[in-house]
Amino acid sequence: MKILIVEDNEALAQTAGWIIEMLGYDYRISLTPKAALADGEDYRPDVVMMDIGLPGMSGYDLCREMRAKPIHADAVFVAQTGWDEREHREQSAQAGFAHHLTKPVDLQTLENVLNTIAGEMHVRN
């Protein structure tokens, strides 16, 4: 399973990447919304883990823009943010995120979400 990490904090992005790799999945990091749009076209991720508070474009808007592209029709979007209020969870769902994880993300929670997505992908294919 290929996972695109969209996170403007490079240290957090790399740490998430190492964890994802440890769980047996492939990853690529995009540090800006512009990079995420380009990388999404090239990498064709199965999962997009995205921060909401990005520079220049919110994660909500970026999720909507990426989801509108046919290439991402089957991708699963996961919000990974420090914002955990109900309104943020509702905005995440409205933008097209399937999951909303709060930073710092618990390793077991991340593993459960990714394994669930992988299982659902296996059933679809």
Side-chain angles (χ1 to χ4, degrees):
M1 188 164 71
K2 298 188 313 186
I3 301 170
L4 179 63
I5 301 166
V6 185
E7 169 65 65
D8 61 317
N9 181 315
E10 194 169 356
L12 283 177
Q14 190 58 63
T15 301
W18 292 330
I19 292 168
I20 287 166
E21 188 174 57
M22 182 189 74
L23 295 173
Y25 302 115
D26 187 56
Y27 73 94
R28 183 177 288 181
I29 295 171
S30 297
L31 299 174
T32 66
K34 184 177 178 181
L37 290 167
D39 291 341
E41 294 284 328
D42 179 54
Y43 184 55
R44 298 178 181 234
D46 301 302
V47 176
V48 180
M49 287 182 50
M50 185 182 301
D51 188 15
I52 298 298
L54 295 168
M57 176 187 277
S58 77
Y60 303 125
D61 291 335
L62 181 57
C63 179
R64 284 184 192 95
E65 188 168 334
M66 290 181 77
R67 289 188 57 76
K69 297 176 183 258
I71 195 171
H72 300 304
D74 293 329
V76 177
F77 286 76
V78 178
Q80 185 175 322
T81 179
W83 303 338
D84 191 35
E85 290 78 18
R86 192 177 99 223
E87 68 189 69
H88 295 122
R89 290 182 171 278
E90 290 170 358
Q91 288 176 334
S92 291
Q94 291 168 1
F97 287 101
H99 302 274
H100 184 109
L101 304 179
T102 305
K103 294 184 207 174
V105 177
D106 173 72
L107 176 60
Q108 189 63 55
T109 300
L110 179 60
E111 183 175 15
N112 290 344
V113 167
L114 294 178
N115 288 342
T116 297
I117 293 168
E120 291 168 353
M121 286 177 53
H122 180 73
V123 168
R124 273 192 310 220
N125 298 332

